[in-house]
Each structure stands twice: as C-alpha cells, then as structure tokens.
Amino acid sequence: RFGKTELQIPIVTCGGMRLQSSWMLDSVPLLAHPRKTALNSIPQENIKNCIKACLKLGINHFETARFYGTSEYQMVEALFELISSGEIKREDIILQTKIPPG
C-alpha cells in the first residue's frame, strides 16, 4: 500500500525520468524547451505508446517529477490525450509526481 493510505500500488512502475524531449526545465525561461515543441515531438508519441504497452502488461503506476525536464508535462499530456480519446480510463492508472521539500 502507499504510505498511510489504503491505496494499493504495484511493486513495478513505469518511471518517467527518461521519458522526455528535453532536460531543460521551463522554470528557466531563457533555456526552456518550448512546451509546444515538446508536445508535438516524436518522443511524445513514444510516451503514449509506452503508457499503452505498460497497461497491457499490467503496469498501471506511472511516476515523474518536476525536475525530470519536460517529462512531467509530457506524461500528463499523454495521459490526458489517452483518457480523452477513451483509450484508457482514469481509474485504471496511478500517477505519482514529486516536488522538492519545503
């Protein structure tokens, strides 16, 4: 189970650290990788395909983090598109992200 909750999460997860178009954070405007560019990139299709493949294998826990470059918003956008199109259901996935303490 997850922490003090009763949410049952699997031991195997799909980590999002390497699922991104760029390591540059959008919090540094001068260096930022434009969101539109990232969301229209080939890696974006790969992220959607990876999510679908994971779900077919029974892996429904996806994790990302704010400091994984463009991973967080690319993964969220891919999940949103798959849910909106009816390919997957929101209740079938667990999405975990991390933020810095403090």
Side-chain angles (χ1 to χ4, degrees):
R1 70 186 169 85
F2 183 67
K4 294 180 180 181
T5 73
E6 294 303 317
L7 180 63
Q8 297 297 313
I9 63 171
I11 295 171
V12 178
T13 186
C14 176
M17 182 181 238
R18 302 283 182 208
L19 300 176
Q20 90 278 40
S21 184
S22 171
W23 278 103
M24 289 297 162
L25 300 172
D26 60 355
S27 59
V28 184
L30 186 60
L31 302 174
H33 192 76
R35 275 186 193 223
K36 189 174 184 178
T37 302
L39 296 176
N40 291 320
S41 66
I42 291 172
Q44 189 64 22
E45 261 322 292
N46 292 342
I47 292 170
K48 287 195 281 190
N49 291 333
C50 182
I51 290 169
K52 290 188 280 188
C54 284
L55 289 170
K56 283 182 185 175
L57 293 170
I59 300 168
N60 68 338
H61 181 248
F62 301 91
E63 70 83 22
T64 185
R66 182 72 184 97
F67 291 99
Y68 288 179
T70 59
S71 171
E72 188 175 57
Y73 64 78
Q74 284 190 263
M75 188 174 284
V76 167
E77 181 67 20
L79 288 166
F80 175 78
E81 289 176 13
L82 291 169
I83 291 167
S84 295
S85 69
E87 292 183 68
I88 66 174
K89 295 179 184 174
R90 172 60 186 98
E91 57 269 15
D92 293 339
I93 62 165
I94 300 168
L95 177 62
Q96 175 184 346
T97 190
K98 298 172 279 307
I99 56 172

XYZ file of all heavy atoms in Angstrom:
803
model
N 0.827 -1.182 0.000
C 0.000 0.000 0.000
C 0.870 1.245 0.000
O 2.041 1.172 0.345
C -0.983 -0.034 1.153
C -0.392 0.131 2.505
C -1.456 -0.059 3.587
N -0.799 -0.147 4.854
C -0.459 0.904 5.578
N -0.736 2.102 5.150
N 0.181 0.757 6.710
N 0.286 2.372 -0.341
C 1.034 3.618 -0.467
C 0.984 4.409 0.838
O -0.072 4.879 1.250
C 0.462 4.453 -1.608
C 1.211 5.730 -1.849
C 2.501 5.705 -2.327
C 0.616 6.948 -1.572
C 3.202 6.876 -2.541
C 1.306 8.121 -1.794
C 2.600 8.088 -2.274
N 2.135 4.529 1.489
C 2.231 5.310 2.719
C 1.199 4.905 3.749
O 1.007 3.734 4.021
N 0.501 5.899 4.310
C -0.524 5.641 5.320
C -1.900 5.491 4.697
O -2.892 5.371 5.394
C -0.539 6.782 6.336
C 0.736 6.862 7.147
C 0.675 7.994 8.139
C 1.981 8.055 8.931
N 1.961 9.124 9.923
N -1.961 5.498 3.380
C -3.247 5.345 2.689
C -3.563 3.877 2.513
O -2.738 3.010 2.781
C -3.222 6.013 1.304
O -2.410 5.212 0.422
C -2.663 7.426 1.353
N -4.721 3.601 2.008
C -5.099 2.221 1.678
C -4.954 1.956 0.176
O -5.378 0.930 -0.316
C -6.541 1.950 2.132
C -6.716 1.992 3.645
C -5.790 1.013 4.370
O -5.646 -0.140 3.917
O -5.199 1.422 5.388
N -4.361 2.899 -0.537
C -4.171 2.756 -1.977
C -3.145 1.664 -2.254
O -2.003 1.743 -1.804
C -3.706 4.078 -2.586
C -3.466 4.101 -4.089
C -4.763 3.832 -4.851
C -2.880 5.439 -4.514
N -3.556 0.653 -2.982
C -2.667 -0.447 -3.338
C -1.923 -0.072 -4.624
O -2.551 0.226 -5.636
C -3.472 -1.733 -3.560
C -4.201 -2.203 -2.313
C -3.257 -2.569 -1.197
O -2.273 -3.273 -1.382
N -3.553 -2.070 -0.005
N -0.611 -0.034 -4.555
C 0.177 0.266 -5.751
C 1.097 -0.913 -6.039
O 1.530 -1.613 -5.127
C 0.975 1.577 -5.642
C 2.007 1.531 -4.523
C 0.051 2.759 -5.444
C 2.953 2.706 -4.532
N 1.392 -1.128 -7.308
C 2.236 -2.267 -7.676
C 3.703 -2.041 -7.304
O 4.138 -0.912 -7.088
C 2.063 -2.353 -9.191
C 1.638 -1.004 -9.616
C 0.915 -0.387 -8.464
N 4.436 -3.113 -7.258
C 5.870 -3.040 -6.985
C 6.599 -2.513 -8.217
O 7.557 -1.770 -8.109
C 6.411 -4.432 -6.589
C 5.787 -4.858 -5.263
C 7.918 -4.425 -6.495
C 6.064 -6.285 -4.875
N 6.142 -2.884 -9.403
C 6.764 -2.464 -10.657
C 6.062 -1.204 -11.157
O 4.839 -1.111 -11.154
C 6.679 -3.585 -11.724
C 7.284 -3.121 -13.026
C 7.362 -4.845 -11.220
N 6.859 -0.230 -11.590
C 6.316 1.047 -12.043
C 6.932 1.442 -13.373
O 7.952 0.887 -13.775
C 6.601 2.141 -10.987
O 5.957 3.343 -11.378
C 8.076 2.411 -10.831
N 6.326 2.397 -14.035
C 6.907 2.985 -15.242
C 7.487 4.333 -14.838
O 6.746 5.279 -14.567
C 5.850 3.167 -16.330
S 6.507 4.009 -17.796
N 8.795 4.399 -14.736
C 9.470 5.637 -14.345
C 9.588 6.592 -15.519
O 9.923 6.198 -16.626
N 9.322 7.852 -15.261
C 9.300 8.850 -16.326
C 10.569 9.660 -16.499
O 10.616 10.567 -17.313
N 11.625 9.323 -15.761
C 12.831 10.146 -15.829
C 13.397 10.251 -17.245
O 13.855 11.310 -17.654
C 13.902 9.605 -14.891
C 15.161 10.438 -14.877
S 16.374 9.720 -13.772
C 16.630 11.092 -12.683
N 13.347 9.183 -17.988
C 13.909 9.187 -19.349
C 12.850 9.432 -20.430
O 13.161 9.425 -21.608
C 14.609 7.867 -19.633
C 15.708 7.555 -18.662
C 16.937 8.365 -18.958
N 17.994 7.994 -18.020
C 18.942 8.817 -17.655
N 18.989 10.019 -18.128
N 19.859 8.428 -16.806
N 11.619 9.630 -20.013
C 10.541 9.891 -20.980
C 10.352 11.396 -21.124
O 9.476 11.979 -20.515
C 9.232 9.234 -20.523
C 9.230 7.726 -20.354
C 7.896 7.258 -19.816
C 9.547 7.040 -21.674
N 11.216 12.015 -21.905
C 11.102 13.448 -22.094
C 11.780 13.867 -23.381
O 12.589 13.149 -23.926
C 11.647 14.205 -20.890
C 13.111 14.556 -20.926
C 14.014 13.442 -20.516
O 13.794 12.310 -20.860
N 15.075 13.739 -19.805
N 11.420 15.057 -23.812
C 12.004 15.622 -25.020
C 13.270 16.405 -24.698
O 14.150 16.526 -25.512
C 10.968 16.527 -25.696
O 11.452 17.017 -26.905
N 13.333 16.956 -23.473
C 14.475 17.773 -23.077
C 14.653 17.744 -21.567
O 13.688 17.622 -20.821
C 14.248 19.225 -23.525
O 15.222 20.082 -22.980
N 15.901 17.905 -21.120
C 16.184 18.009 -19.695
C 15.994 19.441 -19.202
O 16.006 19.691 -18.008
C 17.613 17.573 -19.394
C 17.749 16.093 -19.298
C 18.266 15.258 -20.246
C 17.351 15.255 -18.218
N 18.208 13.958 -19.809
C 17.651 13.934 -18.569
C 16.755 15.492 -16.987
C 17.392 12.853 -17.736
C 16.498 14.427 -16.148
C 16.823 13.124 -16.522
N 15.840 20.396 -20.114
C 15.704 21.795 -19.712
C 14.348 22.052 -19.075
O 13.312 21.697 -19.624
C 15.880 22.733 -20.907
C 17.274 22.800 -21.417
S 18.372 23.462 -20.139
C 19.932 22.936 -20.759
N 14.371 22.670 -17.906
C 13.145 22.992 -17.185
C 12.520 24.267 -17.731
O 13.224 25.177 -18.141
C 13.445 23.190 -15.702
C 14.054 21.994 -14.982
C 14.474 22.408 -13.588
C 13.059 20.864 -14.922
N 11.201 24.338 -17.690
C 10.546 25.559 -18.144
C 10.615 26.659 -17.082
O 10.183 27.768 -17.310
C 9.106 25.303 -18.583
C 8.232 24.734 -17.485
O 8.759 24.440 -16.400
O 7.032 24.589 -17.722
N 11.194 26.361 -15.921
C 11.351 27.376 -14.886
C 12.544 28.293 -15.157
O 12.745 29.270 -14.466
C 11.486 26.717 -13.513
O 12.605 25.863 -13.507
N 13.350 27.954 -16.165
C 14.461 28.799 -16.588
C 14.116 29.302 -17.993
O 14.484 28.680 -18.986
C 15.797 28.001 -16.603
C 16.954 28.918 -16.946
C 16.021 27.281 -15.288
N 13.371 30.420 -18.080
C 12.824 30.866 -19.368
C 13.822 30.963 -20.518
O 13.509 30.578 -21.634
C 12.233 32.238 -19.044
C 11.939 32.178 -17.594
C 13.007 31.305 -16.995
N 15.024 31.442 -20.256
C 15.999 31.607 -21.324
C 16.426 30.259 -21.921
O 16.690 30.156 -23.107
C 17.223 32.362 -20.794
C 18.284 32.747 -21.816
C 17.674 33.667 -22.880
C 19.445 33.434 -21.139
N 16.448 29.223 -21.098
C 16.892 27.897 -21.534
C 15.741 26.931 -21.809
O 15.958 25.819 -22.259
C 17.797 27.278 -20.459
C 19.043 28.073 -20.080
C 19.745 27.413 -18.914
C 19.977 28.231 -21.258
N 14.543 27.361 -21.498
C 13.380 26.466 -21.549
C 13.145 25.875 -22.939
O 13.295 26.540 -23.951
C 12.131 27.207 -21.098
N 12.788 24.609 -22.935
C 12.362 23.909 -24.141
C 10.873 24.235 -24.313
O 10.083 23.934 -23.428
C 12.565 22.405 -23.944
C 12.444 21.600 -25.180
N 13.436 21.556 -26.123
C 11.455 20.801 -25.638
C 13.061 20.754 -27.108
N 11.864 20.285 -26.834
N 10.477 24.868 -25.404
C 9.065 25.268 -25.548
C 8.108 24.079 -25.408
O 8.323 23.028 -26.005
C 9.005 25.849 -26.959
C 10.409 26.192 -27.312
C 11.276 25.214 -26.571
N 7.070 24.249 -24.600
C 6.096 23.165 -24.389
C 5.497 22.677 -25.696
O 5.340 21.491 -25.905
C 4.966 23.630 -23.469
C 5.290 23.482 -22.049
C 4.115 23.819 -21.178
N 4.641 23.951 -19.835
C 4.061 23.462 -18.777
N 2.912 22.859 -18.862
N 4.613 23.606 -17.595
N 5.156 23.618 -26.552
C 4.527 23.246 -27.827
C 5.454 22.332 -28.624
O 5.006 21.354 -29.222
C 4.183 24.511 -28.614
C 3.347 24.254 -29.825
C 2.917 25.554 -30.473
C 2.006 25.288 -31.638
N 1.522 26.506 -32.265
N 6.737 22.638 -28.617
C 7.717 21.805 -29.325
C 7.778 20.416 -28.717
O 7.766 19.406 -29.426
C 9.115 22.460 -29.279
O 9.035 23.762 -29.866
C 10.141 21.630 -30.019
N 7.828 20.351 -27.390
C 7.909 19.049 -26.706
C 6.654 18.222 -26.939
O 6.735 17.014 -27.184
C 8.130 19.259 -25.210
N 5.494 18.865 -26.878
C 4.237 18.121 -27.006
C 3.939 17.699 -28.440
O 3.087 16.845 -28.672
C 3.080 18.948 -26.440
C 3.173 19.224 -24.938
C 2.039 20.137 -24.499
C 3.195 17.948 -24.136
N 4.650 18.274 -29.415
C 4.473 17.890 -30.813
C 5.674 17.100 -31.334
O 5.855 16.963 -32.535
C 4.259 19.130 -31.683
C 2.934 19.782 -31.405
O 1.931 19.104 -31.221
N 2.908 21.096 -31.369
N 6.473 16.561 -30.425
C 7.694 15.856 -30.815
C 7.453 14.356 -30.957
O 6.461 13.818 -30.476
C 8.780 16.108 -29.768
O 8.405 15.520 -28.535
N 8.405 13.689 -31.597
C 8.349 12.231 -31.739
C 8.348 11.552 -30.360
O 7.590 10.608 -30.143
C 9.507 11.713 -32.620
C 9.274 12.172 -34.060
C 9.635 10.200 -32.542
C 10.423 11.901 -35.002
N 9.158 12.037 -29.395
C 9.087 11.406 -28.075
C 7.687 11.417 -27.453
O 7.343 10.515 -26.695
C 10.068 12.238 -27.230
C 11.064 12.741 -28.216
C 10.255 13.013 -29.461
N 6.861 12.396 -27.808
C 5.507 12.442 -27.254
C 4.693 11.230 -27.697
O 3.987 10.628 -26.901
C 4.801 13.752 -27.657
C 3.492 13.982 -26.962
C 3.642 14.157 -25.460
O 4.695 14.503 -24.966
N 2.574 13.903 -24.726
N 4.796 10.853 -28.947
C 4.113 9.635 -29.435
C 4.673 8.410 -28.741
O 3.941 7.490 -28.397
C 4.297 9.479 -30.943
C 3.189 9.931 -31.840
C 1.768 9.671 -31.355
O 1.337 8.500 -31.277
O 1.079 10.641 -31.062
N 5.994 8.393 -28.533
C 6.634 7.269 -27.848
C 6.123 7.130 -26.422
O 5.942 6.016 -25.926
C 8.158 7.426 -27.845
C 8.766 7.304 -29.220
O 8.139 6.787 -30.137
N 9.977 7.794 -29.374
N 5.898 8.259 -25.748
C 5.385 8.225 -24.373
C 3.994 7.594 -24.358
O 3.697 6.743 -23.522
C 5.383 9.637 -23.752
C 6.824 10.118 -23.546
C 4.620 9.653 -22.426
C 6.953 11.581 -23.175
N 3.141 7.997 -25.297
C 1.796 7.412 -25.361
C 1.873 5.911 -25.631
O 1.160 5.128 -25.005
C 0.947 8.111 -26.428
C 0.522 9.503 -26.005
C -0.585 10.051 -26.864
C -0.060 10.554 -28.167
N -1.048 11.313 -28.939
N 2.735 5.512 -26.545
C 2.895 4.085 -26.852
C 3.447 3.318 -25.652
O 3.039 2.184 -25.386
C 3.800 3.893 -28.067
C 3.141 4.371 -29.344
O 1.918 4.382 -29.456
N 3.941 4.794 -30.299
N 4.352 3.925 -24.913
C 4.917 3.309 -23.714
C 3.831 3.113 -22.660
O 3.745 2.043 -22.034
C 6.045 4.180 -23.174
S 6.850 3.500 -21.725
N 2.986 4.110 -22.460
C 1.897 4.008 -21.489
C 0.949 2.875 -21.868
O 0.582 2.044 -21.033
C 1.133 5.351 -21.391
C 2.013 6.408 -20.718
C -0.196 5.184 -20.644
C 1.475 7.820 -20.808
N 0.587 2.805 -23.140
C -0.322 1.737 -23.593
C 0.318 0.367 -23.424
O -0.347 -0.586 -22.988
C -0.738 1.981 -25.045
C -1.662 3.185 -25.207
C -2.228 3.303 -26.597
C -1.243 3.927 -27.545
N -1.819 4.229 -28.877
N 1.609 0.243 -23.732
C 2.306 -1.034 -23.581
C 2.381 -1.440 -22.109
O 2.166 -2.612 -21.766
C 3.711 -0.945 -24.180
N 2.647 -0.481 -21.240
C 2.688 -0.773 -19.801
C 1.347 -1.297 -19.310
O 1.295 -2.292 -18.579
C 3.070 0.482 -19.012
S 4.812 0.892 -19.115
N 0.277 -0.634 -19.705
C -1.050 -1.059 -19.256
C -1.386 -2.457 -19.758
O -1.993 -3.248 -19.042
C -2.108 -0.045 -19.688
C -2.041 1.293 -18.938
C -2.958 2.317 -19.578
C -2.360 1.121 -17.470
N -0.960 -2.792 -20.977
C -1.192 -4.146 -21.497
C -0.455 -5.185 -20.663
O -0.906 -6.323 -20.532
C -0.739 -4.242 -22.960
C -1.703 -3.624 -23.928
C -1.230 -3.791 -25.363
C -2.159 -3.055 -26.309
N -1.680 -3.099 -27.690
N 0.692 -4.783 -20.086
C 1.485 -5.691 -19.255
C 1.037 -5.697 -17.800
O 1.596 -6.411 -16.984
C 2.966 -5.301 -19.329
C 3.641 -5.497 -20.678
C 5.018 -4.856 -20.685
C 3.732 -6.978 -21.024
N 0.064 -4.849 -17.480
C -0.435 -4.786 -16.109
C 0.263 -3.757 -15.236
O 0.039 -3.706 -14.029
N 1.122 -2.951 -15.831
C 1.807 -1.888 -15.087
C 0.940 -0.638 -15.172
O 0.766 -0.073 -16.250
C 3.213 -1.617 -15.660
C 4.059 -2.887 -15.578
C 3.877 -0.443 -14.958
C 5.355 -2.827 -16.352
N 0.395 -0.208 -14.038
C -0.517 0.939 -14.069
C -0.042 2.108 -13.215
O -0.726 3.098 -13.061
C -1.917 0.524 -13.606
C -1.970 0.170 -12.134
O -0.953 -0.163 -11.529
N -3.149 0.236 -11.564
N 1.160 2.000 -12.649
C 1.729 3.071 -11.830
C 2.775 3.816 -12.647
O 3.732 3.220 -13.127
C 2.355 2.479 -10.561
C 2.948 3.505 -9.660
N 4.297 3.606 -9.457
C 2.373 4.473 -8.901
C 4.536 4.596 -8.606
N 3.384 5.133 -8.267
N 2.566 5.111 -12.816
C 3.464 5.962 -13.603
C 4.002 7.048 -12.693
O 3.236 7.681 -11.972
C 2.720 6.572 -14.797
C 2.148 5.540 -15.712
C 0.862 5.061 -15.523
C 2.903 5.015 -16.741
C 0.333 4.077 -16.349
C 2.386 4.030 -17.576
C 1.098 3.566 -17.375
N 5.311 7.243 -12.719
C 5.884 8.277 -11.864
C 6.741 9.220 -12.677
O 7.358 8.849 -13.659
C 6.659 7.667 -10.696
C 7.941 6.973 -11.041
C 9.133 7.893 -11.174
O 9.158 9.013 -10.642
O 10.082 7.491 -11.855
N 6.733 10.459 -12.257
C 7.521 11.501 -12.896
C 7.897 12.510 -11.825
O 7.601 12.311 -10.651
C 6.748 12.139 -14.071
O 7.603 13.064 -14.742
C 5.488 12.834 -13.616
N 8.562 13.585 -12.199
C 8.934 14.620 -11.233
C 9.135 15.939 -11.951
O 9.439 15.976 -13.151
C 10.201 14.235 -10.487
N 8.978 16.980 -11.220
C 9.128 18.326 -11.755
C 10.515 18.536 -12.353
O 10.685 19.240 -13.321
C 8.865 19.334 -10.622
C 8.948 20.762 -11.042
C 7.727 21.109 -11.904
N 7.848 22.457 -12.397
C 8.308 22.751 -13.603
N 8.672 21.799 -14.428
N 8.408 23.996 -13.993
N 11.519 17.914 -11.770
C 12.888 18.141 -12.230
C 13.396 17.071 -13.195
O 14.593 16.887 -13.348
C 13.824 18.306 -11.028
C 13.549 19.585 -10.292
C 12.790 19.597 -9.152
C 13.997 20.794 -10.804
C 12.501 20.779 -8.497
C 13.712 21.992 -10.166
C 12.967 21.986 -9.004
N 12.479 16.383 -13.862
C 12.849 15.434 -14.922
C 12.727 16.120 -16.284
O 12.286 15.516 -17.248
C 11.938 14.218 -14.911
C 12.117 13.244 -13.770
C 11.307 12.126 -13.687
C 13.073 13.415 -12.785
C 11.435 11.210 -12.654
C 13.204 12.509 -11.740
C 12.384 11.413 -11.688
O 12.501 10.512 -10.665
N 13.086 17.371 -16.364
C 12.987 18.107 -17.626
C 11.536 18.259 -18.043
O 10.689 18.658 -17.254
N 11.225 17.897 -19.280
C 9.862 18.044 -19.801
C 8.987 16.822 -19.510
O 7.820 16.788 -19.904
C 9.895 18.290 -21.322
O 10.546 17.187 -21.962
C 10.621 19.579 -21.669
N 9.530 15.841 -18.805
C 8.809 14.587 -18.549
C 7.444 14.782 -17.913
O 6.465 14.176 -18.347
C 9.650 13.674 -17.653
O 8.902 12.564 -17.219
N 7.375 15.620 -16.885
C 6.130 15.742 -16.134
C 4.983 16.216 -17.027
O 3.939 15.583 -17.097
C 6.304 16.701 -14.954
C 5.115 16.710 -14.026
C 5.356 17.563 -12.802
O 5.667 18.766 -12.965
O 5.250 17.020 -11.702
N 5.180 17.324 -17.737
C 4.052 17.787 -18.545
C 3.845 16.951 -19.794
O 2.733 16.851 -20.294
C 4.097 19.297 -18.828
C 5.231 19.853 -19.644
C 5.260 19.733 -21.016
C 6.242 20.569 -19.027
C 6.280 20.281 -21.759
C 7.259 21.142 -19.764
C 7.279 20.994 -21.128
O 8.287 21.549 -21.866
N 4.873 16.297 -20.298
C 4.664 15.404 -21.438
C 3.879 14.165 -21.030
O 2.991 13.720 -21.761
C 6.000 15.008 -22.068
C 6.607 16.128 -22.900
C 7.792 15.631 -23.694
O 8.914 15.789 -23.263
N 7.524 15.025 -24.834
N 4.200 13.603 -19.853
C 3.472 12.419 -19.410
C 2.015 12.765 -19.096
O 1.105 12.018 -19.460
C 4.138 11.785 -18.187
C 3.524 10.453 -17.827
S 4.383 9.583 -16.518
C 5.803 8.974 -17.393
N 1.806 13.893 -18.440
C 0.437 14.318 -18.122
C -0.364 14.540 -19.408
O -1.514 14.118 -19.515
C 0.444 15.585 -17.238
C -0.925 16.218 -17.160
C 0.956 15.251 -15.852
N 0.234 15.182 -20.385
C -0.462 15.427 -21.657
C -0.787 14.109 -22.365
O -1.882 13.934 -22.897
C 0.381 16.318 -22.567
C -0.263 16.650 -23.891
C -1.510 17.524 -23.778
O -1.688 18.198 -22.751
O -2.314 17.526 -24.733
N 0.157 13.172 -22.358
C -0.080 11.869 -22.992
C -1.228 11.138 -22.299
O -2.119 10.599 -22.965
C 1.193 11.023 -22.947
N -1.234 11.140 -20.975
C -2.323 10.500 -20.223
C -3.650 11.192 -20.507
O -4.675 10.533 -20.719
C -2.021 10.505 -18.726
C -0.924 9.550 -18.274
C -0.463 9.879 -16.865
C -1.377 8.107 -18.378
N -3.640 12.516 -20.536
C -4.862 13.276 -20.824
C -5.421 12.910 -22.198
O -6.622 12.669 -22.352
C -4.566 14.779 -20.748
C -5.726 15.636 -21.152
C -6.786 15.851 -20.282
C -5.766 16.216 -22.406
C -7.869 16.633 -20.666
C -6.832 16.996 -22.792
C -7.896 17.205 -21.927
N -4.548 12.847 -23.201
C -4.991 12.503 -24.560
C -5.553 11.083 -24.611
O -6.576 10.846 -25.268
C -3.840 12.660 -25.550
C -3.463 14.111 -25.821
C -2.248 14.244 -26.723
O -1.833 13.244 -27.349
O -1.708 15.367 -26.789
N -4.899 10.149 -23.950
C -5.363 8.761 -23.962
C -6.691 8.611 -23.225
O -7.553 7.843 -23.646
C -4.299 7.839 -23.362
C -3.025 7.680 -24.199
C -1.940 6.980 -23.394
C -3.309 6.949 -25.491
N -6.863 9.345 -22.143
C -8.128 9.312 -21.404
C -9.227 9.989 -22.219
O -10.335 9.461 -22.350
C -7.968 9.974 -20.021
C -7.073 9.111 -19.134
C -9.328 10.201 -19.356
C -6.589 9.792 -17.868
N -8.922 11.149 -22.801
C -9.913 11.894 -23.595
C -10.399 11.111 -24.803
O -11.560 11.196 -25.183
C -9.331 13.230 -24.060
O -9.065 14.056 -22.963
N -9.488 10.339 -25.398
C -9.853 9.562 -26.587
C -10.570 8.256 -26.217
O -11.044 7.544 -27.098
C -8.608 9.246 -27.413
O -7.780 8.317 -26.731
N -10.619 7.943 -24.935
C -11.282 6.712 -24.496
C -10.404 5.480 -24.568
O -10.869 4.367 -24.320
N -9.123 5.658 -24.906
C -8.220 4.503 -24.996
C -7.912 3.904 -23.628
O -7.667 2.711 -23.521
C -6.919 4.903 -25.702
C -7.104 5.223 -27.174
C -5.797 5.543 -27.845
O -4.960 4.619 -27.976
O -5.611 6.707 -28.238
N -7.870 4.760 -22.603
C -7.666 4.279 -21.245
C -8.652 4.998 -20.327
O -9.221 6.025 -20.701
C -6.207 4.491 -20.748
C -5.877 5.987 -20.625
C -5.221 3.780 -21.648
C -4.522 6.257 -20.005
N -8.839 4.464 -19.124
C -9.724 5.084 -18.143
C -8.883 5.661 -17.006
O -7.887 5.055 -16.602
C -10.693 4.053 -17.564
C -11.663 3.506 -18.572
C -12.545 2.480 -17.912
C -13.471 1.855 -18.945
N -14.230 0.758 -18.360
N -9.303 6.795 -16.477
C -8.567 7.448 -15.390
C -8.428 6.513 -14.186
O -7.385 6.477 -13.542
C -9.263 8.762 -14.998
C -8.693 9.437 -13.747
C -7.219 9.774 -13.938
N -6.611 10.273 -12.747
C -5.885 9.534 -11.900
N -5.702 8.243 -12.107
N -5.319 10.080 -10.846
N -9.460 5.775 -13.890
C -9.414 4.904 -12.711
C -8.461 3.721 -12.882
O -8.172 3.001 -11.918
C -10.815 4.420 -12.321
C -11.563 3.698 -13.409
C -12.431 4.605 -14.283
O -12.276 5.831 -14.253
O -13.259 4.041 -15.017
N -7.945 3.524 -14.082
C -7.032 2.406 -14.335
C -5.568 2.761 -14.112
O -4.698 1.903 -14.250
C -7.204 1.891 -15.764
C -8.557 1.233 -15.979
O -9.189 0.826 -14.982
O -8.979 1.143 -17.146
N -5.284 4.021 -13.785
C -3.888 4.433 -13.630
C -3.650 5.104 -12.284
O -4.560 5.645 -11.671
C -3.433 5.394 -14.751
C -4.253 6.684 -14.715
C -3.512 4.736 -16.108
C -3.665 7.801 -15.522
N -2.391 5.046 -11.856
C -1.931 5.795 -10.690
C -0.783 6.663 -11.194
O 0.197 6.155 -11.736
C -1.431 4.858 -9.575
C -2.550 3.918 -9.122
C -0.886 5.668 -8.394
C -2.057 2.783 -8.235
N -0.917 7.970 -11.031
C 0.131 8.905 -11.453
C 0.756 9.519 -10.214
O 0.077 10.058 -9.355
C -0.454 10.003 -12.341
C 0.539 11.084 -12.792
C 1.654 10.484 -13.649
C -0.183 12.177 -13.545
N 2.076 9.409 -10.131
C 2.804 9.961 -8.990
C 3.818 10.958 -9.503
O 4.543 10.694 -10.450
C 3.521 8.834 -8.244
C 4.394 9.308 -7.115
C 5.159 8.164 -6.472
O 4.866 6.992 -6.694
N 6.160 8.489 -5.685
N 3.868 12.114 -8.892
C 4.903 13.093 -9.202
C 5.540 13.510 -7.897
O 5.035 13.208 -6.810
C 4.341 14.298 -9.985
O 5.434 15.091 -10.449
C 3.397 15.132 -9.146
N 6.674 14.152 -7.999
C 7.409 14.549 -6.797
C 7.739 16.036 -6.879
O 7.970 16.565 -7.960
C 8.695 13.727 -6.681
C 8.392 12.239 -6.539
C 9.626 11.390 -6.619
C 10.144 11.087 -7.976
N 9.302 10.520 -8.972
N 7.742 16.679 -5.725
C 8.124 18.080 -5.654
C 9.218 18.216 -4.590
O 9.311 17.389 -3.689
C 6.932 18.996 -5.328
C 6.251 18.561 -4.028
C 5.928 19.007 -6.454
C 5.198 19.508 -3.525
N 10.033 19.259 -4.691
C 11.070 19.425 -3.685
C 10.458 19.752 -2.310
O 9.418 20.413 -2.250
C 11.906 20.588 -4.196
C 11.238 21.115 -5.402
C 10.090 20.251 -5.735
N 11.071 19.296 -1.246
C 10.543 19.600 0.086
C 10.663 21.084 0.407
O 11.511 21.781 -0.126
C 11.424 18.764 1.019
C 12.656 18.466 0.243
C 12.284 18.511 -1.205
N 9.804 21.524 1.291
C 9.909 22.894 1.791
C 8.975 23.776 1.150
O 8.703 24.798 1.035
